[in-house]
Amino acid sequence: MKNSNNSLYPLVFTPIYKEKIWGGGKISKSLRRPGAPRENCGESWEISTIPNNVSIVKGGCLGGLPLDTIIKGYKDQLVGQKVYDEFGAQFPLLIKYIDAHKDLSIQVHPDNELAMKRHNCKGKTEMWYIMEAEKNAKITKGFNKPMVQSDYKSLLSNIGSIFKKVKVTKGDTVFIPAGTVHAIGKGVLLAEIQQSSDVTYRIYDYERKDAVGHKRRLHVNQAQAAISYDDNSYIKHADKYDPSSLVNCPFFKTNKVNITQEVLRDYSSIDSFVVYMMLEGSVKLKTKDNKDILLKRGDTCLIPACIDFSIIEPLEETKMLEIHC
């Protein structure tokens, strides 16, 4: 049994919205977020301690406080001993919703070693859960033929033609290890779980220009050392494979939980916080000594590590992502 701290409770945060050249209106409309920009809203950062983008608690006795301050105060009681020992006041993950109204740039993220060397931060391995996908929506993942670095350099003049595109549908899971070239394609709304890093190397951006006529900066040369030519990414297509365990990697574990009746979720053996991202439906989440919390589609909630269990009562058929370290 964990050491209980009665002043901690399930935390919900004020979203941090990011307007993007490729963003749309689904975060506002589909996720029912009246406070989100109605156009060009590409991302909603749900839980973050990225500098200048630290999540603020919404509601309860900790309401108005930034997440890193709360971690400093509660330490392992909030995030778990192993997480606190490694990350201190930094939350180890960045949790987002992303709306790709247009294609995102083709990009790559460095692994831990390169990111620490270049940027003094962690690398970025990530996963996507596809919440909505328009007809013929695709993602970019890896190369369309076997590739080594010398091949890549020789093809830079025709770089837009060397990447592999894969069709995705609602319910698919995509795992993108650091070093994988990738891009979210237009018409996709997804939940993203990633290491706490905001380092991105853009490789190709379709020659498009921003609102004042400038092309966005590319990082073709920086990307060369970051790219992994062994493709360890994968897709679990919903129509062929629908497990509860979606991703189990060194940086996070993600399960999908389908709820049609009241369930007890036992965290007593997990030395970690737990995060819920609401994919569909709505629930009442109950923990010992705390009031019920209503969670609906698009909501995100952090269960502190000191809480042993929750009881989840569905108000309708519900699907959730359950994430921990």
Side-chain angles (χ1 to χ4, degrees):
M1 184 174 179
K2 301 176 185 178
N3 294 322
S4 178
N5 188 315
N6 291 332
S7 63
L8 279 175
Y9 55 94
L11 302 175
V12 177
F13 301 90
T14 300
I16 302 169
Y17 297 118
K18 301 287 185 178
E19 294 191 65
K20 300 288 185 178
I21 193 172
W22 40 261
K26 289 181 180 176
I27 290 174
S28 172
K29 296 175 184 177
S30 183
L31 299 186
R32 301 185 184 94
R33 298 282 189 85
R38 295 187 178 183
E39 297 180 1
N40 300 326
C41 184
E43 301 182 357
S44 175
W45 288 22
E46 301 291 295
I47 305 180
S48 167
T49 54
I50 297 290
N52 302 313
N53 292 276
V54 178
S55 295
I56 304 297
V57 174
K58 182 168 60 175
C61 63
L62 300 176
L65 293 178
L67 177 55
D68 54 358
T69 296
I70 298 171
I71 297 175
K72 288 177 185 177
Y74 290 97
K75 302 180 174 63
D76 61 297
Q77 292 286 292
L78 181 59
V79 295
Q81 189 66 60
K82 66 179 181 180
V83 173
Y84 185 74
D85 287 347
E86 181 174 356
F87 294 92
Q90 182 186 35
F91 195 69
L93 303 177
L94 175 55
I95 307 291
K96 304 177 181 178
Y97 294 107
I98 296 179
D99 173 20
H101 179 63
K102 300 176 183 176
D103 292 332
L104 274 68
S105 61
I106 295 174
Q107 56 195 244
V108 69
H109 307 298
D111 62 14
N112 282 347
E113 182 180 0
L114 185 60
M116 188 59 64
K117 179 180 177 180
R118 288 183 173 178
H119 309 284
N120 194 33
C121 69
K122 297 289 186 179
K124 184 175 172 181
T125 285
E126 62 190 277
M127 68 155 284
W128 307 329
Y129 182 89
I130 310 298
M131 297 176 68
E132 295 180 11
E134 296 174 8
K135 186 178 180 180
N136 296 321
K138 296 178 180 179
I139 62 160
T140 296
K141 184 183 73 66
F143 298 102
N144 56 22
K145 61 181 180 180
M147 189 81 61
V148 296
Q149 190 174 61
S150 59
D151 296 330
Y152 173 78
K153 289 180 179 180
S154 70
L155 292 167
L156 286 177
S157 61
N158 192 27
I159 196 168
S161 67
I162 65 176
F163 303 108
K164 179 170 64 179
K165 294 186 179 294
V166 182
K167 185 176 179 180
V168 291
T169 58
K170 179 180 176 179
D172 289 350
T173 297
V174 186
F175 179 60
I176 305 287
T180 306
V181 294
H182 64 278
I184 304 169
K186 63 181 180 180
V188 173
L189 174 70
L190 58 80
E192 179 176 279
I193 298 97
Q194 59 158 93
Q195 289 180 266
S196 182
S197 170
D198 199 32
V199 177
T200 295
Y201 300 143
R202 288 193 202 100
I203 300 171
Y204 181 67
D205 199 35
Y206 315 99
E207 301 296 322
R208 63 186 165 193
K209 298 178 181 179
D210 63 20
V212 294
H214 297 149
K215 293 181 181 179
R216 294 197 297 170
R217 182 185 174 191
L218 299 180
H219 313 91
V220 176
N221 291 329
Q222 297 97 314
Q224 289 184 34
I227 293 172
S228 171
Y229 298 94
D230 297 321
D231 188 358
N232 295 313
S233 64
Y234 61 75
I235 297 181
K236 293 181 177 179
H237 291 289
D239 60 346
K240 298 178 181 177
Y241 190 73
D242 188 24
S244 60
S245 178
L246 301 179
V247 170
N248 187 342
C249 74
F251 311 111
F252 52 82
K253 298 172 179 61
T254 302
N255 304 315
K256 184 169 72 171
V257 183
N258 298 332
I259 301 176
T260 57
Q261 59 185 7
E262 185 174 281
V263 297
L264 184 147
R265 303 298 291 179
D266 184 351
Y267 318 124
S268 59
S269 64
I270 302 173
D271 181 21
S272 170
F273 60 86
V274 173
V275 171
Y276 286 115
M277 301 183 80
M278 295 291 294
L279 303 173
E280 297 178 19
S282 57
V283 300
K284 286 183 181 178
L285 187 145
K286 311 171 188 180
T287 57
K288 185 178 179 181
D289 301 325
N290 288 296
K291 294 181 180 179
D292 297 356
I293 295 178
L294 176 64
L295 299 174
K296 61 186 187 307
R297 172 177 162 85
D299 287 345
T300 303
C301 179
L302 188 154
I303 311 294
C306 64
I307 292 177
D308 276 326
F309 69 91
S310 71
I311 297 172
I312 302 176
E313 176 191 341
L315 304 179
E316 55 191 307
E317 187 173 349
T318 297
K319 295 181 180 179
M320 315 163 67
L321 295 182
E322 183 179 73
I323 305 131
H324 62 88
C325 286

